[in-house]
Amino acid sequence: MNEPFLPFTRPSFDEETLAGVLDVFRSGWITSGPRVAELEAALVSRLGHDRRVLCFAHATGALEESLRTIGVGPGDEVIVPAMTFAASANVVLRVGATPVFVDVDLASRNLTPAAVAAAVTPRTRAVMPVHFAGLPVALEALQAVARRHHLVVVEDAAHAIGARYRGREIGSFGDLVCFSFHANKNMTTIEGAAISLPAGRVDWADRLERLRFHGLRKADDGSYDVELAAGKHNLSDVAARVGLGQLKRLDAFNRRRRELAGYYFARLESNPWGLVLPEWGDEGHAWHMLTVLVPFETLGFGRRELQERMRSHGIGTGMHYPALPPLTLYRALCDWHPGRFPNAERIGRETVTLPLFPAMTEGDVDRVCRALGQILGGGGA
Ligand SMILES: *Cc1c(COP(=O)(O)O)cnc(C)c1O
């Protein structure tokens, strides 16, 4: 095995960005300052001047403070998908509210507006859709449900920077849309995030700004007052400079992701091993990840073994995500029993994330499919 190891994801940085980062260091100002303002402005240019964008240190904090901003707290419920990263449910608990899980669709891996409508109670305050792997949820129908029940839609758009729903970019509309710029996401600031909200919601923006930085409210004379025991979630200028270089390349990154996903589909769509591919979607899909379902029950070995065998072929894989309701923290909350969230639970048991990142070649995709073929069924794909 002399081919280099192929991880399931890897960020791409160009020399211009790295030189720009050095310039930030040399400027003497490395934490939140002009580069953060520039990244926020660049995101507004992209998403629309009727939007306001606030950068955060991570999407986990952005989601949590978004919930706080709209007043979600003890006694309230927030609807979240049963298959997502733990952060989506934890932030609800962290503000003292209760996450209410709904099953996801097996093909899109997204929550459905019908499931959300069925889960609404008098305590429901918000719904937190996740655009899983960059495939937008059915936002129009979801927003109709939200309007009907006076819910705020806090989008966990951690996978969805650059994604489009019916031609409109995610974050260019909607209540509170939280992007993650974690190292594994479609663009990165190493760690980081941004919230997009309507420019007209100055009340939300004002509260978010204070929640982002110690609750401070600055006065014109340079003094400040503190009204909230807030935390600290500001992004650094070094990180923002990385993000500015990434944002310029985002569309090219996402186009390349889509090409590679298409190549995987051509190789795997009619596979003989019972692999279930996700929904292809339309050109708005950001292809943050390619996750396939593997029929381990009939295969005679488990995910751990598949992943180890892939690794012995020099290929990294991921697992996104286990269903949340069976996990210790959430089990009691939703009175979970096996089969309660059949799609999320099946995905959790069977999902494997294959390598997908812009610097990959079609030869890399071939290599992954060949290795899968050898491991799953002897023959090649
Ligand atoms: C990555 C991720 C988050 C958290 O993002 P951070 O920036 O790492 O805090 C939240 N939700 C989902 C679905 C994610 O994938």
Side-chain angles (χ1 to χ4, degrees):
M1 187 60 28
N2 43 25
E3 284 175 293
F5 184 74
L6 180 69
F8 82 84
T9 188
R10 188 170 64 212
S12 296
F13 302 110
D14 57 13
E15 292 304 318
E16 190 271 337
T17 303
L18 299 180
V21 167
L22 276 182
D23 289 342
V24 175
F25 277 106
R26 291 190 182 111
S27 78
W29 190 274
I30 55 175
T31 188
S32 307
R35 297 289 84 83
V36 169
E38 198 180 330
L39 180 57
E40 290 177 345
L43 286 162
V44 165
S45 292
R46 188 179 168 108
L47 298 174
H49 289 275
D50 56 345
R51 304 296 290 179
R52 175 84 190 268
V53 171
L54 293 167
C55 284
F56 269 66
H58 39 76
T60 306
L63 289 163
E64 182 176 330
E65 301 307 0
S66 291
L67 293 176
R68 234 173 236 126
T69 291
I70 57 172
V72 172
D76 295 332
E77 294 176 353
V78 177
I79 297 172
V80 297
M83 193 281 301
T84 174
F85 186 50
S88 319
N90 280 352
V91 295
V92 177
L93 288 167
R94 288 179 60 80
V95 301
T98 304
V100 172
F101 295 108
V102 292
D103 204 5
V104 297
D105 177 69
L106 197 64
S108 70
R109 325 283 209 249
N110 282 336
L111 57 62
T112 63
V116 171
V120 171
T121 77
R123 292 168 181 264
T124 313
R125 295 288 314 282
V127 53
M128 193 185 291
V130 176
H131 306 295
F132 187 83
L135 177 67
V137 308
L139 278 172
E140 209 168 278
L142 184 68
Q143 285 173 341
V145 172
R147 269 194 305 275
R148 190 159 359 110
H149 298 281
H150 308 288
L151 314 179
V152 180
V153 181
V154 177
E155 291 173 52
D156 180 342
H159 301 175
I161 184 85
R164 278 168 283 122
Y165 172 73
R166 297 189 174 166
R168 297 169 76 196
E169 186 150 340
I170 295 298
S172 70
F173 60 102
D175 296 335
L176 290 149
V177 183
C178 299
F179 297 111
S180 171
F181 304 143
H182 175 269
N184 284 357
K185 305 293 165 44
N186 285 31
M187 68 166 261
T188 185
T189 59
I190 308 171
E191 299 281 355
I195 306 177
S196 167
L197 65 151
R201 290 309 306 243
V202 287
D203 53 337
W204 286 353
D206 180 76
R207 197 163 158 82
L208 279 169
E209 277 188 305
R210 283 179 292 139
L211 288 167
R212 181 170 64 173
F213 200 73
H214 307 288
L216 265 55
R217 183 194 291 286
K218 293 195 176 118
D220 290 339
D221 66 359
S223 66
Y224 60 75
D225 193 12
V226 176
E227 302 164 342
L228 285 170
K232 183 175 189 292
H233 298 281
N234 57 303
L235 190 72
S236 77
D237 263 20
V238 174
R241 183 58 188 87
V242 176
L244 284 161
Q246 293 272 292
L247 186 59
K248 277 192 199 144
R249 302 169 72 199
L250 177 64
D251 290 327
F253 284 161
N254 286 358
R255 265 196 306 278
R256 183 62 185 151
R257 286 176 175 278
R258 181 175 178 73
E259 279 171 16
L260 292 163
Y263 202 56
Y264 268 117
F265 268 63
R267 298 292 308 267
L268 296 177
E269 210 164 13
S270 53
N271 71 84
W273 313 298
L275 291 183
V276 179
L277 270 63
E279 186 175 321
W280 173 251
D282 66 10
E283 62 286 339
H285 195 327
W287 287 106
H288 168 55
M289 298 189 283
L290 182 70
T291 62
V292 298
L293 304 184
V294 183
F296 291 113
E297 261 161 55
T298 56
L299 210 57
F301 60 87
R303 179 162 47 207
R304 191 56 186 263
E305 185 165 341
L306 175 80
Q307 292 189 291
E308 273 166 19
R309 291 202 210 167
M310 289 295 280
R311 182 163 277 274
S312 73
H313 284 261
I315 296 166
T317 55
M319 197 264 282
H320 303 90
Y321 299 95
L324 294 184
L327 306 183
T328 301
L329 178 62
Y330 314 112
R331 202 177 325 175
L333 286 176
C334 60
D335 193 21
W336 180 73
H337 57 83
R340 172 116 199 255
F341 302 96
N343 294 336
E345 291 168 39
R346 177 172 167 201
I347 294 164
R349 285 192 305 272
E350 299 189 351
T351 194
V352 174
T353 308
L354 301 180
L356 182 67
F357 55 89
M360 273 174 71
T361 64
E362 295 189 349
D364 290 329
V365 175
D366 286 335
R367 209 180 129 197
V368 175
C369 296
R370 262 199 316 276
L372 268 179
Q374 281 176 21
I375 294 164
L376 295 177

